[in-house]
Amino acid sequence: MSVGMAEVKSLVPMNLNTTRTNHEAETINHYDNNQEAVASLSLVHILIRRYEPSDQQAIEMIYRDATEEHINPTFIYAMTQPLHITISLFFCIGAYLLSGSVILALISGGAWVGLVYFCCYEFYTSYVREKLRTDMKDIPGHYLSNPDNCFWVAEAEMDGKRRILGIAAVEAIDDGSGKRNGELLQMSVLSTCRRAGLGQRLAKTAEDFCKERGFTKIILSTSFTQRAALAFYDKIGYKHVLVSTQSERPKWLVWMTRLKILYMEKIINCC
Protein backbone atom coordinates (compact mmCIF):
# COMPACT_ATOMS: atom_id res chain seq x y z
CA MET A 1 0.00 0.00 0.00
CA SER A 2 1.31 3.46 -0.86
CA VAL A 3 2.53 5.86 1.79
CA GLY A 4 -0.28 8.30 0.99
CA MET A 5 -2.86 5.74 2.13
CA ALA A 6 -1.32 3.75 4.95
CA GLU A 7 -3.59 1.94 7.35
CA VAL A 8 -2.27 1.44 10.85
CA LYS A 9 -3.60 0.54 14.25
CA SER A 10 -2.85 2.51 17.35
CA LEU A 11 -3.96 3.07 20.89
CA VAL A 12 -5.52 6.45 21.52
CA PRO A 13 -6.91 7.80 24.79
CA MET A 14 -10.58 8.54 25.19
CA ASN A 15 -11.71 12.17 25.20
CA LEU A 16 -11.08 13.70 28.60
CA ASN A 17 -13.47 16.29 30.02
CA THR A 18 -13.76 17.68 33.53
CA THR A 19 -16.60 19.73 34.92
CA ARG A 20 -15.23 20.94 38.27
CA THR A 21 -15.28 24.68 38.74
CA ASN A 22 -12.48 24.78 41.30
CA HIS A 23 -9.20 25.08 39.37
CA GLU A 24 -7.17 22.85 41.68
CA ALA A 25 -9.85 20.17 41.80
CA GLU A 26 -10.15 20.36 38.01
CA THR A 27 -6.41 19.88 37.57
CA ILE A 28 -6.33 16.87 39.91
CA ASN A 29 -9.44 15.38 38.34
CA HIS A 30 -8.03 15.85 34.84
CA TYR A 31 -4.81 14.10 35.86
CA ASP A 32 -6.71 11.21 37.48
CA ASN A 33 -8.96 10.84 34.44
CA ASN A 34 -5.95 10.87 32.14
CA GLN A 35 -4.23 8.14 34.15
CA GLU A 36 -7.42 6.11 34.12
CA ALA A 37 -7.84 6.61 30.37
CA VAL A 38 -4.27 5.55 29.66
CA ALA A 39 -4.80 2.43 31.75
CA SER A 40 -7.97 1.50 29.85
CA LEU A 41 -7.12 2.45 26.27
CA SER A 42 -9.35 1.08 23.55
CA LEU A 43 -7.84 -0.38 20.40
CA VAL A 44 -9.22 1.68 17.54
CA HIS A 45 -8.55 1.58 13.83
CA ILE A 46 -6.43 4.53 12.65
CA LEU A 47 -6.32 5.42 8.98
CA ILE A 48 -3.54 7.73 7.79
CA ARG A 49 -4.62 9.01 4.41
CA ARG A 50 -4.28 11.94 2.05
CA TYR A 51 -6.28 15.08 2.66
CA GLU A 52 -9.86 15.33 1.40
CA PRO A 53 -11.84 18.61 1.12
CA SER A 54 -14.29 17.46 3.81
CA ASP A 55 -11.39 17.46 6.31
CA GLN A 56 -10.80 21.22 6.09
CA GLN A 57 -12.75 22.40 9.14
CA ALA A 58 -11.29 19.75 11.45
CA ILE A 59 -7.78 20.40 10.15
CA GLU A 60 -8.04 24.12 10.83
CA MET A 61 -9.27 23.47 14.37
CA ILE A 62 -6.42 21.05 15.17
CA TYR A 63 -3.81 23.32 13.63
CA ARG A 64 -5.06 26.44 15.41
CA ASP A 65 -5.29 24.74 18.82
CA ALA A 66 -1.91 23.01 18.50
CA THR A 67 -0.19 26.28 17.55
CA GLU A 68 -1.90 28.66 19.95
CA GLU A 69 -1.33 26.41 22.97
CA HIS A 70 2.27 27.69 22.94
CA ILE A 71 1.23 31.25 23.80
CA ASN A 72 1.37 30.82 27.59
CA PRO A 73 4.66 28.86 27.70
CA THR A 74 6.23 31.49 25.45
CA PHE A 75 4.98 34.28 27.72
CA ILE A 76 6.39 32.57 30.81
CA TYR A 77 9.70 32.04 29.03
CA ALA A 78 9.83 35.69 27.90
CA MET A 79 9.06 37.07 31.36
CA THR A 80 11.83 35.02 32.95
CA GLN A 81 14.44 36.54 30.64
CA PRO A 82 16.72 39.21 32.20
CA LEU A 83 15.68 41.85 29.67
CA HIS A 84 11.99 41.78 30.56
CA ILE A 85 12.65 41.44 34.28
CA THR A 86 14.86 44.54 34.11
CA ILE A 87 12.38 46.55 32.05
CA SER A 88 9.46 45.60 34.31
CA LEU A 89 11.40 46.68 37.40
CA PHE A 90 12.47 49.88 35.64
CA PHE A 91 8.86 50.87 34.98
CA CYS A 92 7.76 49.95 38.50
CA ILE A 93 10.59 51.79 40.26
CA GLY A 94 10.51 54.73 37.87
CA ALA A 95 6.78 55.25 38.29
CA TYR A 96 7.09 55.02 42.07
CA LEU A 97 9.95 57.52 42.23
CA LEU A 98 8.10 59.98 40.00
CA SER A 99 4.68 59.67 41.61
CA GLY A 100 5.19 58.12 45.02
CA SER A 101 2.22 55.87 44.25
CA VAL A 102 2.49 52.13 44.70
CA ILE A 103 -0.63 51.63 42.61
CA LEU A 104 0.79 53.62 39.70
CA ALA A 105 4.06 51.70 40.03
CA LEU A 106 2.21 48.39 39.78
CA ILE A 107 0.15 49.62 36.84
CA SER A 108 3.29 50.76 35.01
CA GLY A 109 5.06 47.43 35.48
CA GLY A 110 1.85 45.56 34.66
CA ALA A 111 1.47 47.50 31.41
CA TRP A 112 4.84 46.19 30.22
CA VAL A 113 3.94 42.64 31.25
CA GLY A 114 0.65 43.00 29.35
CA LEU A 115 2.50 44.19 26.27
CA VAL A 116 4.79 41.16 26.42
CA TYR A 117 1.78 38.85 26.65
CA PHE A 118 0.13 40.60 23.69
CA CYS A 119 3.30 40.06 21.64
CA CYS A 120 3.39 36.36 22.52
CA TYR A 121 -0.29 36.08 21.62
CA GLU A 122 0.19 37.95 18.35
CA PHE A 123 3.27 35.91 17.42
CA TYR A 124 1.25 32.70 17.23
CA THR A 125 -2.20 33.94 16.25
CA SER A 126 -0.87 36.04 13.36
CA TYR A 127 1.12 33.01 12.17
CA VAL A 128 -2.05 30.90 12.20
CA ARG A 129 -4.02 33.60 10.37
CA GLU A 130 -1.35 33.81 7.69
CA LYS A 131 -1.18 30.05 7.18
CA LEU A 132 -4.96 29.74 6.98
CA ARG A 133 -4.95 32.43 4.30
CA THR A 134 -2.20 30.81 2.22
CA ASP A 135 -1.09 27.17 1.94
CA MET A 136 -3.56 25.78 4.50
CA LYS A 137 -6.44 27.46 2.64
CA ASP A 138 -5.64 25.65 -0.61
CA ILE A 139 -4.22 22.30 0.45
CA PRO A 140 -5.04 20.53 -2.85
CA GLY A 141 -3.31 23.27 -4.85
CA HIS A 142 -0.31 23.69 -2.58
CA TYR A 143 0.36 20.14 -1.36
CA LEU A 144 -1.46 17.66 -3.60
CA SER A 145 -0.92 19.07 -7.08
CA ASN A 146 2.83 18.43 -6.81
CA PRO A 147 3.74 14.71 -6.57
CA ASP A 148 6.70 15.62 -4.33
CA ASN A 149 4.43 17.26 -1.75
CA CYS A 150 1.75 15.63 0.38
CA PHE A 151 -0.70 16.34 3.21
CA TRP A 152 -1.98 13.58 5.49
CA VAL A 153 -4.65 13.26 8.14
CA ALA A 154 -4.95 10.62 10.85
CA GLU A 155 -8.56 9.52 11.05
CA ALA A 156 -10.40 7.23 13.45
CA GLU A 157 -13.98 6.26 14.18
CA MET A 158 -14.72 7.14 17.80
CA ASP A 159 -18.15 7.01 19.42
CA GLY A 160 -19.61 6.14 16.06
CA LYS A 161 -18.26 9.29 14.43
CA ARG A 162 -15.36 9.86 12.07
CA ARG A 163 -12.75 12.11 13.72
CA ILE A 164 -9.54 13.70 12.52
CA LEU A 165 -6.91 13.24 15.25
CA GLY A 166 -3.74 14.58 13.64
CA ILE A 167 -2.19 16.12 10.54
CA ALA A 168 1.19 16.32 8.85
CA ALA A 169 2.58 17.59 5.55
CA VAL A 170 5.76 17.44 3.49
CA GLU A 171 6.96 19.99 0.97
CA ALA A 172 9.89 19.33 -1.37
CA ILE A 173 12.75 21.85 -1.29
CA ASP A 174 16.09 22.18 -3.09
CA ASP A 175 19.12 22.84 -0.88
CA GLY A 176 20.95 24.65 -3.65
CA SER A 177 23.46 21.88 -4.33
CA GLY A 178 21.20 19.76 -6.48
CA LYS A 179 19.99 17.59 -3.62
CA ARG A 180 16.30 17.45 -2.83
CA ASN A 181 15.03 17.45 0.72
CA GLY A 182 11.63 17.28 2.34
CA GLU A 183 10.39 19.80 4.89
CA LEU A 184 8.06 18.45 7.56
CA LEU A 185 5.25 20.94 8.12
CA GLN A 186 1.96 21.38 10.02
CA MET A 187 2.71 18.43 12.34
CA SER A 188 -0.11 18.53 14.87
CA VAL A 189 -1.98 15.97 16.99
CA LEU A 190 -5.18 16.53 18.95
CA SER A 191 -4.22 17.21 22.56
CA THR A 192 -6.37 14.36 23.93
CA CYS A 193 -4.71 11.84 21.62
CA ARG A 194 -1.05 12.51 22.37
CA ARG A 195 1.43 10.10 23.94
CA ALA A 196 -0.21 7.22 22.13
CA GLY A 197 2.19 6.85 19.20
CA LEU A 198 0.06 8.78 16.71
CA GLY A 199 2.71 11.45 16.17
CA GLN A 200 5.31 8.76 15.49
CA ARG A 201 3.06 7.16 12.90
CA LEU A 202 2.47 10.46 11.13
CA ALA A 203 6.22 11.19 11.18
CA LYS A 204 6.96 7.69 9.86
CA THR A 205 4.45 8.16 7.04
CA ALA A 206 6.15 11.43 6.08
CA GLU A 207 9.59 9.80 6.30
CA ASP A 208 8.59 6.86 4.09
CA PHE A 209 7.15 9.31 1.55
CA CYS A 210 10.43 11.24 1.48
CA LYS A 211 12.44 8.04 1.03
CA GLU A 212 10.25 7.03 -1.90
CA ARG A 213 10.86 10.42 -3.50
CA GLY A 214 14.63 10.04 -3.09
CA PHE A 215 15.03 12.99 -0.73
CA THR A 216 18.34 13.19 1.11
CA LYS A 217 16.96 14.39 4.42
CA ILE A 218 13.93 15.76 6.20
CA ILE A 219 14.19 19.15 7.83
CA LEU A 220 11.89 21.03 10.19
CA SER A 221 11.82 24.07 12.42
CA THR A 222 10.23 24.63 15.81
CA SER A 223 10.46 27.18 18.58
CA PHE A 224 12.67 26.82 21.63
CA THR A 225 9.70 26.81 24.03
CA GLN A 226 8.05 23.77 22.43
CA ARG A 227 9.82 21.35 24.77
CA ALA A 228 7.50 18.40 24.15
CA ALA A 229 7.98 18.71 20.39
CA LEU A 230 11.75 18.96 20.76
CA ALA A 231 11.83 15.84 22.93
CA PHE A 232 9.63 14.01 20.40
CA TYR A 233 11.84 14.88 17.42
CA ASP A 234 14.98 13.96 19.38
CA LYS A 235 13.41 10.60 20.16
CA ILE A 236 12.68 9.77 16.53
CA GLY A 237 16.15 10.64 15.30
CA TYR A 238 16.22 14.33 14.39
CA LYS A 239 19.38 16.30 15.14
CA HIS A 240 19.73 19.98 16.01
CA VAL A 241 21.58 21.84 13.27
CA LEU A 242 20.93 25.54 13.87
CA VAL A 243 19.51 27.98 16.41
CA SER A 244 18.36 31.31 15.04
CA THR A 245 16.31 34.37 15.90
CA GLN A 246 15.24 34.71 12.26
CA SER A 247 11.55 34.07 11.73
CA GLU A 248 8.69 34.74 9.34
CA ARG A 249 7.24 36.96 12.06
CA PRO A 250 8.17 40.68 12.29
CA LYS A 251 11.52 41.33 13.99
CA TRP A 252 9.96 43.36 16.78
CA LEU A 253 7.70 40.42 17.70
CA VAL A 254 10.66 38.05 17.82
CA TRP A 255 12.58 40.56 19.95
CA MET A 256 9.69 40.97 22.40
CA THR A 257 9.03 37.26 22.76
CA ARG A 258 12.78 36.44 22.99
CA LEU A 259 12.07 33.33 20.93
CA LYS A 260 14.73 31.24 19.28
CA ILE A 261 13.92 29.03 16.30
CA LEU A 262 15.52 25.58 16.26
CA TYR A 263 16.21 23.86 12.96
CA MET A 264 16.45 20.07 12.94
CA GLU A 265 17.11 17.43 10.32
CA LYS A 266 17.15 13.69 9.80
CA ILE A 267 19.26 12.00 7.13
CA ILE A 268 17.19 9.36 5.32
CA ASN A 269 19.16 8.65 2.13
CA CYS A 270 22.96 8.84 2.37
CA CYS A 271 23.65 8.32 -1.32
Side-chain angles (χ1 to χ4, degrees):
M1 185 172 290
S2 67
V3 176
M5 184 68 76
E7 293 190 18
V8 296
K9 290 187 176 181
S10 174
L11 297 175
V12 297
M14 304 299 291
N15 188 31
L16 305 175
N17 292 305
T18 57
T19 58
R20 302 266 185 103
T21 56
N22 180 272
H23 178 71
E24 181 178 358
E26 182 179 352
T27 302
I28 295 173
N29 191 40
H30 180 82
Y31 175 79
D32 290 341
N33 285 346
N34 184 62
Q35 294 297 97
E36 183 178 337
V38 170
S40 59
L41 292 173
S42 301
L43 186 64
V44 298
H45 183 72
I46 302 292
L47 174 67
I48 297 180
R49 58 169 175 77
R50 287 164 61 96
Y51 164 91
E52 296 175 358
S54 59
D55 303 327
Q56 187 66 32
Q57 185 175 0
I59 285 173
E60 290 183 5
M61 182 272 292
I62 291 175
Y63 179 70
R64 179 180 290 107
D65 289 350
T67 303
E68 294 181 357
E69 72 180 11
H70 301 299
I71 293 171
N72 288 340
T74 300
F75 169 68
I76 294 171
Y77 171 77
M79 287 308 305
T80 58
Q81 299 307 296
L83 174 69
H84 287 315
I85 293 174
T86 302
I87 294 176
S88 299
L89 290 174
F90 172 81
F91 277 111
C92 286
I93 296 171
Y96 180 75
L97 292 176
L98 291 173
S99 68
S101 169
V102 174
I103 294 177
L104 186 58
L106 293 175
I107 292 174
S108 298
W112 181 258
V113 172
L115 178 61
V116 174
Y117 182 83
F118 169 77
C119 292
C120 295
Y121 177 86
E122 185 64 16
F123 184 94
Y124 288 103
T125 57
S126 63
Y127 183 78
V128 170
R129 289 195 302 269
E130 181 179 321
K131 287 298 180 182
L132 294 182
R133 285 197 307 263
T134 54
D135 57 303
M136 294 284 281
K137 183 178 181 180
D138 183 21
I139 292 175
H142 190 86
Y143 290 101
L144 303 183
S145 62
N146 185 337
D148 288 334
N149 299 344
C150 199
F151 196 108
W152 300 273
V153 300
E155 177 188 80
E157 185 170 325
M158 302 178 70
D159 300 324
K161 297 180 180 179
R162 199 182 66 153
R163 295 188 63 192
I164 303 299
L165 308 180
I167 60 176
V170 162
E171 184 175 2
I173 57 174
D174 193 324
D175 65 1
S177 64
K179 294 181 179 179
R180 296 190 310 155
N181 301 321
E183 183 173 9
L184 183 62
L185 300 164
Q186 327 307 359
M187 182 76 166
S188 306
V189 174
L190 203 65
S191 60
T192 52
C193 297
R194 293 173 188 168
R195 301 183 183 278
L198 186 54
Q200 286 184 317
R201 293 182 182 276
L202 281 166
K204 182 65 166 57
T205 299
E207 183 177 330
D208 289 344
F209 175 85
C210 291
K211 286 180 179 178
E212 287 183 0
R213 295 304 185 276
F215 296 161
T216 303
K217 59 188 176 183
I218 308 176
I219 64 173
L220 61 87
S221 61
T222 186
S223 64
F224 181 77
T225 56
Q226 297 181 38
R227 300 301 176 87
L230 292 173
F232 168 74
Y233 291 127
D234 280 334
K235 180 180 178 181
I236 61 175
Y238 283 82
K239 304 299 182 184
H240 297 221
V241 294
L242 181 66
V243 178
S244 173
T245 57
Q246 300 298 314
S247 170
E248 297 176 7
R249 301 296 86 213
K251 290 183 179 181
W252 66 272
L253 266 183
V254 178
W255 187 87
M256 286 292 291
T257 59
R258 315 308 294 165
L259 271 180
K260 296 181 179 67
I261 307 301
L262 273 65
Y263 294 87
M264 308 178 75
E265 66 177 32
K266 182 176 184 179
I267 306 297
I268 55 174
N269 286 310
C270 296
C271 300

